Structures are given as C-alpha cells and as structure tokens.
Amino acid sequence: MSNTAAIVGGGVIGGGWAARFLLNGWNVKVFDPDPESERKMGEVLANARIGLPMLYDCALPDEGRLTRHKSISDAVRESAWVQESVTERLELKHKVISEIQAENPNVAIGSSTSGFKPSELQDNAVNPGRILVAHPFNPVYLLPLVELVPSRSTSDHAIETAKRILSSIGLSPLLVRREIDAHIADRFLEAVWREALWLVKDGIATTREIDDAIRYGFGIRWAQMGLFETYRVAGGEMGMRHFMSQFGPALKWPWTKLMDVPELTDELVNMIAEQSDRQSGHVSIRELERKRDRNLIAIMRALKQQGTAAGRLVKEHQKRMRPQLASAKPIISTRRTIPCDWTDINGHMNEGRYGQIFSDAAEEIMAFIGADDDYIAAGMSYFTVETTIRYINETHAGEMVEVHTLVTQGEGKKLRCFHELKRMENNDLLATCDQMMLHVSLTTRRTCTPADHVREKVEELAALHAEDIS
C-alpha cells in the first residue's frame, strides 16, 4: 500500500496530481471513464516531465509506475492516498466517495474541489473522518500550495496523513482553520475576477491591459512576498500600522464593486471572449502551458537561490531528495536536469553554467569528504584557485546529465578534481573540468591544513582514483 496513490478523475487537475506523485517516485493508479483521458493526461505528464525536474539541482527519484483501471474499486484498492478530481457536481462526488470507501474504507481521501466544503462531501459517507478537501493550484506539478480543509468530523489522523504525504512530494499544505465556501485563495481570485469583469464591461480596460497590470506590477510582488508583507514594506520604517493608518481610509471610497458582479450577458461574454482571442488566440493552449511552466520555473528557481517564498520549499524538498554519495571510480557527484534559464541566445547551455554545474559537483565532493555545512560554519573550507573547462558538445534545456568526478590530487592543502559532464541518454561527453582547490581558514582567508578527518578522506579518494587517471 505504501507509496501508491489513486487518482479518480484524470483531467487537467487529476493529470497534474498524477504527475506530482509519479515524478516523486510514487506509483499511481488512475480511473477516468473519459475515452480521451489517456491522451489528455499524457499531454499533462509530458509537460511535467520537462518542467518539474528543472526546479531542482539534483535528480528526482526514479519515476513511479502509472496504471489505468476500469473501475474505482480497482484503482483505490491498496492505495495509501486517494485524490478525487471529478467534475464539480456534489451528487457525483458523493457517488465516487461512496465507491472509494466501499473498497478501501480507511484510506485518506483528498478532494480537489474548489467550491464544496468537506462537511458537504462527507454527507452519508461510511467513514466521514477520512475525507477532507485537498485543493491544489494549476499546474499541480509545479505550484506548491495545497489547501487542506477538514470539517469537525475529519479525524486528526487523516489530517496528519495528508500533511505527511503531500509534504513528501514537495507540496506546502495550508491547513484552513475553519471550513468556508471557496476556502482561502479562490476567494481572493474571485474578488479580482469580479473587479476585472466590471473594468472590461465599463470600457475601462481590455483583457490584455488588465493582465499587464497584474503581471508587470503587483503580481510579481505577490509572487515572492504575498499581500500583508508587501503592504508592510509599503508602510516604510513604521511598518504595517503606518500603512493602515495612511491607506485605510481609502477602503471607504467607492473604488471597487466587489459586492456586486455584472450580469454575464451574451454581449459581455462575447466582448471578453473576443478580446481574449485577440490577445492570445494565435497561440495553442499547450504552447501557453509551456510558456507558463518556463516562467514559473525561472521565477521559482530565482526564489530558490534566495531561499525564500516558494523557492524555499523547493530548496528544502531538494535537500531531502539529494542522494548520498558513495566511494566509487568515478563518483557520480551530480545528476540533474538542465533548467530552461541556463540557455543562451544560441539555444544551448551558457558557458557560465558549465562553471556552475562543476562548482555544484565540487560542493558535493566537499560535503562527502567532511567539508560540509557544519565544517564551513566552524571556519574552514576549500577555495577554487584554478579551473580548465573544455566544451565538447552542446547541452540543452531539459536534458538529464551526470557529472563523473575523480580526485586526481589529494595531499596537504590541495584537492584536485577532474569532472566529466555526460548526457545520460547516450553517455555522450559534453564537457570536462580540471579543478584545483586549496584548503583555507575562513577567519584568516589564507591556506591552512585541513582537519584530520577531512585530510584522511581526501587521501583515501585520491588513492582509490589513482589507477583510473590516465
């Protein structure tokens, strides 16, 4: 039962859930009677297999096994988690949940619903305590937020199971304190959507202009700081209290129409649809999805480098996934996918990123010999003093690569490594790097002798690798 998830409903959201689980090493069992489901889910999976690995600087676990099933009972049997993502019809969800619990009454069931409360889902259920809302955000395989909404009937065990499982696949479960219509995030989205409809209807702005206002302005701020922290900064040195005293009175002004919504007449629907077609109708939905994914990856990787917001979650998940190195000839010091933000105008990896990937490999070797985070915090490390890189073949975004490392010199203050970057698909040699490092004191910023346990490990590797050095 462990590490097997069942997905009931294989549309865009169900496909995203399947991808998130599969690419984190879980086996996934799918039920969806739609004859087009396999194609639709396949397209979502194709995007996910390109996108998700680019967030990380190490390889994801080996992909799990995907199987499709002709009945709900077959799909949920012996599954540790069930994600329900069927159409937003309460009677259909009740029927699906009933079939799930008839086969597997104790499994935790998460519903992707954006509108129904968990107490509504639990009506007449055999085991209501195992049911809760687990509402994700599209694309599920990239965006980390999932709203966990229990009712008073939901068991603590189901909540803790949901937190544990969803965190393990890189998601950030947000426990909603009390069930409410549309949960948390969609209430904000609905408010913005209502105001946008009025702005279009009243001829104030087009769909493109509204999108520009979001993506060029506050949307970027919200992406890395959220709402309240953004306004705290806006308050200057005096913080949130000053912001609220300065801008609070504006809340009484008749700026927005959030308590009202324009009637969705044929005229308004046609106006919005036509503007949207002019804005992006020349681009296919799949192309828009790929553009969206590349933008999200670039933003989240930038946030990861700073260790903040969604990037912090990726960084922490990456740390949990990093494999332990083992003494070998050579050591596989890096295994990863090349991200989309590493390419240049020629469409291949920028030369600076070769230095990055070899630097990352060297840091893995340092950690392996004992010069890890604790060692550095104690005031000692290795500094690179010389590198020679040879560029042999092109490297492209989305390719899975490995760095093979030999310790070619390990004595006294010196640590010298020879790295080979290889394409995993065909073992083609892409680049090499000869890297010389010297041990230093971070207090004096001068060379010094390494601690005994580090020196001994370096000497051990140098001896092991000596016979493989040509």
Side-chain angles (χ1 to χ4, degrees), residues 75 112 116 161 164 204 210 216 262 293 318 337 363 366 368 373 378 380 435 444 455 461:
S112 299
F116 295 120
T161 297
R164 173 179 54 80
I204 305 299
I210 290 170
Y216 299 153
D293 289 0
Q318 173 179 292
T337 294
E363 288 186 5
M366 285 173 55
F368 182 57
D373 291 344
M380 292 192 286
Q435 179 180 21
T444 65
R455 176 183 53 79
L461 286 178

Side-chain angles (χ1 to χ4, degrees), residues 313-325:
L313 300 173
V314 176
K315 191 171 186 176
E316 291 173 354
H317 188 215
Q318 173 179 292
K319 188 174 182 179
R320 295 195 298 269
M321 288 193 299
R322 279 191 184 276
Q324 296 296 314
L325 301 188

Side-chain angles (χ1 to χ4, degrees), residues 259-275:
M259 300 308 293
D260 192 9
V261 63
E263 183 181 353
L264 293 180
T265 62
D266 289 344
E267 180 184 8
L268 179 56
V269 170
N270 289 336
M271 181 191 304
I272 291 172
E274 288 168 5
Q275 289 184 13

Side-chain angles (χ1 to χ4, degrees), residues 67 93 110 123-124 145 156 159 181 253 320 361 366 385 453:
T67 55
K93 291 182 181 291
D123 281 347
N124 299 316
L145 178 63
D156 290 342
I159 295 170
D181 290 324
W253 302 345
R320 295 195 298 269
M366 285 173 55
V385 294
H453 72 282

Side-chain angles (χ1 to χ4, degrees), residues 195 245-259:
E195 189 62 26
S245 65
Q246 183 174 6
F247 296 100
L251 296 176
K252 297 181 180 179
W253 302 345
W255 280 3
T256 66
K257 301 179 179 179
L258 295 184
M259 300 308 293

